[in-house]
Amino acid sequence: MSKFIDELQLAEEDREKIKKLWEKFRCYADSHFQTELKTNFYQRTWEMYVGNVLLEKKLEIQSKKSKNEGPDFVIDEIAYIECVAPTKGDPTKADSVTEPFEADTLDEIKFQELPVDKIILRITQAIKGKQDQYNKWKCKNWFNEKLPFIIAVNISALGYSESSSIPYVLKALFGIQHEQINIKTGEISVSIRSEITKSSGKLVPVNCFKSTDFEFVSGVLYSNKRVLNHPENIGEDCIFVNNPFAVNPVDESFVKLFKNWTAVKNNDEIIIKKNYQPQ
């Protein structure tokens, strides 16, 4: 029944976790899922996990088995959801995310600088990559242009944990850079930038949610956890970030199902509030 999972080169405990997720997800999987699980492991397990999260939240999702096209999930009258798990990139390219160094002995332990900018670039590229896909779907008879579009992003394939209390996804969407503390007042603020300079000298915008350029994206559902390390309370690792410029905002009832960061336009300013108590 789950022979294709048994063929994966994983520890027995990990295979059992995947089988458990698969049992709930299998009726929603497209015909390519089992084959691509071997070649695109992070992408496909993330898709399967998101499906389980949505079902755990008591949401009714549609299967795309019949047409094998379109967003990964359709939730009637709530949203389309498309999953993506950015990779490290071409290792021969200067802007790819390098493998983290793992010391075998105490003597080998050394300081490593987290490749934060490269991670942010990979997230940005993954989100931008969905724009052409979205435009193709818009031409289909089944597509509803009024339905919010959510991109579910998982960065576990990049191999690094978060470096601060500000998730990488916020740095990619709103140009947040560093936390700053006023020595005199103790007030905490953040520095902001609009671009990252690639090794080639090209400037890449890192403020997708600060203009109408990505108004087709209603929000991002985000996790930095490897699916096989997901918490016992499934979905606890996911946070939702809304796009304040979205043409089709996500209904608040969906947002409140997750830990979330709410972004609101206030004249020329974007105010972001952390809400970490899902209902």
Side-chain angles (χ1 to χ4, degrees), residues 97-115:
V97 177
T98 54
E99 291 283 348
F101 174 77
E102 295 184 4
D104 293 324
T105 66
L106 291 176
D107 292 336
E108 292 179 345
I109 294 176
K110 63 180 181 179
F111 173 79
Q112 295 184 76
E113 183 177 356
L114 291 174

Side-chain angles (χ1 to χ4, degrees), residues 4 21 36 62 210 221 231 236-237 246 269:
F4 74 101
L21 293 172
E36 293 184 0
Q62 292 182 11
K210 294 185 74 173
L221 186 66
E236 182 69 20
D237 55 313
E269 186 181 12

Side-chain angles (χ1 to χ4, degrees), residues 43 64 68-72 81-84 126-140 142-143 149-151 216:
Q43 171 68 34
K64 66 176 186 179
N68 272 326
E69 69 170 350
D72 293 315
I81 299 181
E82 175 70 2
C83 302
V84 62
I127 292 172
K128 288 181 177 179
K130 294 302 176 183
Q131 191 162 23
D132 289 343
Q133 202 169 28
Y134 182 85
N135 289 334
K136 289 178 182 177
W137 291 333
K138 285 170 61 177
C139 302
K140 303 293 184 178
W142 51 261
F143 191 82
F149 178 62
I150 297 170
I151 301 178
F216 74 98

Side-chain angles (χ1 to χ4, degrees), residues 4 56 74 99 159 198 206 220 271:
F4 74 101
E56 186 70 21
V74 181
E99 291 283 348
K198 297 183 68 174
V206 287
V220 169
I271 298 175

Side-chain angles (χ1 to χ4, degrees), residues 1-7 19 22-23 26:
M1 185 168 59
S2 302
K3 183 179 178 181
F4 74 101
I5 296 176
D6 289 329
E7 293 174 351
K19 286 180 181 179
W22 172 246
E23 286 307 307
R26 62 188 305 163

Side-chain angles (χ1 to χ4, degrees), residues 69-204:
E69 69 170 350
D72 293 315
F73 302 104
V74 181
I75 311 174
D76 280 340
E77 300 183 6
I78 295 181
Y80 292 122
I81 299 181
E82 175 70 2
C83 302
V84 62
T87 63
K88 293 183 174 69
D90 184 344
T92 65
K93 304 294 184 181
D95 292 307
S96 65
V97 177
T98 54
E99 291 283 348
F101 174 77
E102 295 184 4
D104 293 324
T105 66
L106 291 176
D107 292 336
E108 292 179 345
I109 294 176
K110 63 180 181 179
F111 173 79
Q112 295 184 76
E113 183 177 356
L114 291 174
V116 175
D117 285 3
K118 293 179 179 180
I119 291 172
I120 293 170
L121 286 172
R122 299 305 295 168
I123 296 172
T124 299
Q125 183 176 348
I127 292 172
K128 288 181 177 179
K130 294 302 176 183
Q131 191 162 23
D132 289 343
Q133 202 169 28
Y134 182 85
N135 289 334
K136 289 178 182 177
W137 291 333
K138 285 170 61 177
C139 302
K140 303 293 184 178
N141 292 331
W142 51 261
F143 191 82
N144 179 359
E145 287 195 43
K146 299 296 184 181
L147 204 61
F149 178 62
I150 297 170
I151 301 178
V153 179
N154 180 281
I155 65 164
S156 61
L158 302 182
Y160 291 87
S161 58
E162 299 282 2
S163 59
S164 74
S165 59
I166 302 174
Y168 289 132
V169 70
L170 289 184
K171 298 180 178 184
L173 297 174
F174 297 103
I176 297 174
Q177 190 171 14
H178 302 300
E179 288 183 295
Q180 303 172 140
I181 300 177
N182 187 308
I183 297 177
K184 293 183 179 180
T185 66
E187 182 181 0
I188 299 176
S189 61
V190 294
S191 58
I192 300 294
R193 59 180 170 177
S194 59
E195 300 163 323
I196 287 178
T197 304
K198 297 183 68 174
S199 58
S200 64
K202 180 181 178 181
L203 298 176
V204 179

